[in-house]
Amino acid sequence: MLNRNANLANLKAGYLFPEIARLRRDFAALNPDAKIISLGVGNTTEPILPAINHGLAAGAQALGTIEGYSGYSDEGLLALRERISTLWYKGMFSADEIFISDGAKCDIGRLQLLFGSDVPVVVQDPSYPVYVDGSVLIGAAGAWIGTGYKGITYLACTEENGYFPDLSKVPHNALIYFCSPNNPTGAVATKEQLRELVCAAQESGSLIVFDAAYAEYIRDPALPKTIFEVEGGIDCALEVNSFSKSAGFTGVRLGWTVVPKTLKYACGARINSDWSRVVGTIFNGASNIAQAGGLAALTPQGLAEIRELSDYYLGNAALIRDTLLNAGVSCIGGDNSPYIWAHFPARDSWEVFRELLEHCHLVTTPGSGFGPAGESFIRFSAFGHRAVIEEACRRLAAYYTSLKGGWEKSHD
Ligand code: PL4
């Protein structure tokens, strides 16, 4: 019999989102008449808009013709890489610094192979659980000690620090995961804050993995959409991004990673060359149909559709946020991101999760699933059909009204 990879045994619990899906199933089995609404997993719900969908369909059609057929394209279509460079980065990267992927999450998992198991890992707390769980899988997280892993530095992002962490705790030569707009808090770092982050990385010899999966939700033009807007970012950061939440490609699967050639390891070798080697070895390229859709998404019409779709979800977010605020629940996010981060002081996140499921038949995500600083918070996702979101808001409002005296008083 084979030994189990010891790193797997180090995982504290099941992956957050399947756990939530399991709890939903259990509740539905016991309450078959309940009309459960999910504001939990950040999964898109709206149809792909026409110009982008036409790109996908045309991509599929082309495969049935001699001229249009294509096979493997490991590194991604040249035209797509060039368009991403032009549109997102003002042409500052050559095509061989942009790698097309099957999604940001998949690249985050593969990126961890570059740095081995000895690298100190830094995360915003709270943050998307893949950064921590992926680090556990490659043996970089160490043992579980109470509320976190020994090898991970958790940088608390709280109301007190405006959801931007104290960077003085970044260890030397670390891998820093930084997500803006942040999942789950919805907070977006300002340009000045990203400058601080870049300085902290440079001073500590660290590398930033900047996750910009929600950048298309930024509406405030003063807020940066990429780490490369900040001087020095190119020397200490790589960036992952995705078509999932912008074009509705959560199921189609398409993303990209920028690995500037300026990035080097301590030994002087180029990170870009190793990344090319890693993806060339264990990834066979994104679907050519998805890439045809990606190209369509980056035409003027496609970009207008991205805007329309993200506006729709931001409209949902505003409804949820206003409902919570009217009920006296303090929350942030939802203005430049599809998530609302709601505070339930002194409450256990999972307890609030169960309460919302039982009383409102709403599935949410408990904040503690995103890190220790997420305790007492609940993340509400704004992905859903408008009518469903409105119904969820009615239930929330009715529930809080029924608590007579308000949410906080009934839970003192
Ligand atoms: C549930 C900060 C969602 N099964 O679709 P991808 O791979 O291009 O992007 C995934 C991703 C990357 N970076 C951030 C993200 O928040 C996400 C998606 N997160 C959520 O509810 O937090 C979907 C989660 C999915 C998963 O595990 O990713």
Side-chain angles (χ1 to χ4, degrees):
M1 297 256 274
L2 297 178
N3 287 327
R4 186 185 189 200
N5 177 344
N7 297 329
L8 284 167
N10 256 344
L11 284 169
K12 179 66 178 74
Y15 182 50
L16 178 64
F17 298 107
E19 278 297 298
I20 288 167
R22 187 181 60 77
L23 292 171
R24 176 192 173 138
R25 273 195 309 277
D26 290 353
F27 183 80
L30 290 172
N31 303 275
D33 295 331
K35 301 241 176 316
I36 300 172
I37 292 176
S38 177
L39 304 178
V41 180
N43 201 359
T44 47
T45 55
E46 299 313 294
I48 291 172
L49 288 166
I52 301 176
N53 202 42
H54 178 75
L56 287 168
Q61 287 289 340
L63 292 178
T65 66
I66 292 274
E67 319 73 55
Y69 179 77
S70 57
Y72 294 123
S73 77
D74 297 16
E75 64 289 338
L77 292 178
L78 179 63
L80 182 57
R81 289 180 284 144
E82 286 176 344
R83 204 170 287 174
I84 288 171
S85 178
T86 308
L87 276 175
W88 274 90
Y89 308 109
K90 299 197 172 112
M92 75 191 278
F93 296 110
S94 57
D96 55 359
E97 293 174 293
I98 295 175
F99 299 78
I100 304 301
S101 72
D102 52 349
K105 177 184 181 179
C106 317
D107 264 0
I108 292 163
R110 288 186 283 259
L111 274 165
Q112 295 177 326
L113 292 174
L114 292 175
F115 309 101
S117 55
D118 289 334
V119 67
V121 173
V122 177
V123 294
Q124 290 157 291
D125 175 19
S127 66
Y128 181 44
V130 174
Y131 314 140
V132 169
D133 286 9
S135 304
V136 176
L137 289 178
I138 61 143
W144 177 260
I145 44 161
T147 53
Y149 289 94
K150 194 163 184 258
I152 300 216
T153 302
Y154 296 82
L155 300 181
C157 298
T158 60
E159 226 164 305
E160 290 71 41
N161 60 21
Y163 295 93
F164 187 79
D166 173 3
L167 296 169
S168 66
K169 295 185 183 135
V170 172
H172 284 289
N173 308 323
L175 190 60
I176 307 170
Y177 289 97
F178 199 95
C179 178
S180 178
N182 180 266
N183 174 15
T185 65
V188 188
T190 63
K191 213 165 195 173
E192 193 44 46
Q193 288 172 330
L194 287 192
R195 238 176 246 129
E196 273 178 49
L197 176 67
V198 164
C199 283
Q202 286 175 330
E203 280 163 18
S204 62
S206 299
L207 183 84
I208 302 162
V209 174
F210 192 79
D211 188 339
Y214 300 98
E216 280 296 346
Y217 285 80
I218 294 177
R219 289 293 175 272
D220 180 344
L223 293 171
K225 288 184 162 186
T226 154
I227 188 75
F228 302 121
E229 279 183 45
V230 174
E231 202 189 325
I234 195 168
D235 300 316
C236 63
L238 52 82
E239 179 165 300
V240 292
N241 207 323
S242 170
F243 287 86
S244 282
K245 308 296 163 59
S246 55
F249 277 19
T250 44
V252 174
R253 310 302 306 145
L254 191 68
W256 73 88
T257 294
V258 184
V259 186
K261 287 187 189 156
T262 37
L263 298 181
K264 299 217 170 111
Y265 298 103
C267 65
R270 267 190 190 166
I271 296 179
N272 176 286
S273 311
D274 270 2
W275 181 240
S276 181
R277 180 73 169 87
V278 166
V279 292
T281 306
I282 60 166
F283 178 54
N284 254 344
S287 146
N288 37 22
I289 299 173
Q291 294 189 71
L295 269 172
L298 300 184
T299 59
Q301 244 179 317
L303 291 168
E305 291 182 354
I306 283 179
R307 183 76 181 196
E308 184 183 332
L309 188 66
S310 46
D311 272 346
Y312 181 91
Y313 292 127
L314 285 170
N316 288 348
L319 290 175
I320 298 169
R321 191 186 50 224
D322 292 350
T323 302
L324 289 167
L325 289 173
N326 284 337
V329 178
S330 108
C331 53
I332 66 151
D335 39 6
N336 293 288
S337 106
Y339 297 122
I340 291 106
W341 188 237
H343 196 192
F344 297 86
R347 299 288 311 280
D348 175 278
S349 295
W350 283 100
E351 192 187 297
V352 180
F353 167 86
R354 278 190 292 274
E355 187 169 336
L356 291 170
L357 186 55
E358 263 166 43
H359 294 278
C360 305
H361 300 164
L362 292 185
V363 177
T364 54
T365 309
S368 56
F370 297 97
E375 190 53 278
S376 299
F377 284 83
I378 287 285
R379 188 193 78 172
F380 290 84
S381 154
F383 294 106
H385 303 311
R386 180 61 51 84
V388 174
I389 297 289
E390 284 168 349
E391 169 60 17
C393 290
R394 271 194 293 276
R395 291 184 197 175
L396 280 169
Y399 179 56
Y400 291 134
T401 305
S402 78
L403 289 176
K404 292 195 190 80
W407 172 263
E408 285 187 29
K409 278 190 192 132
S410 14
H411 292 85
D412 276 346

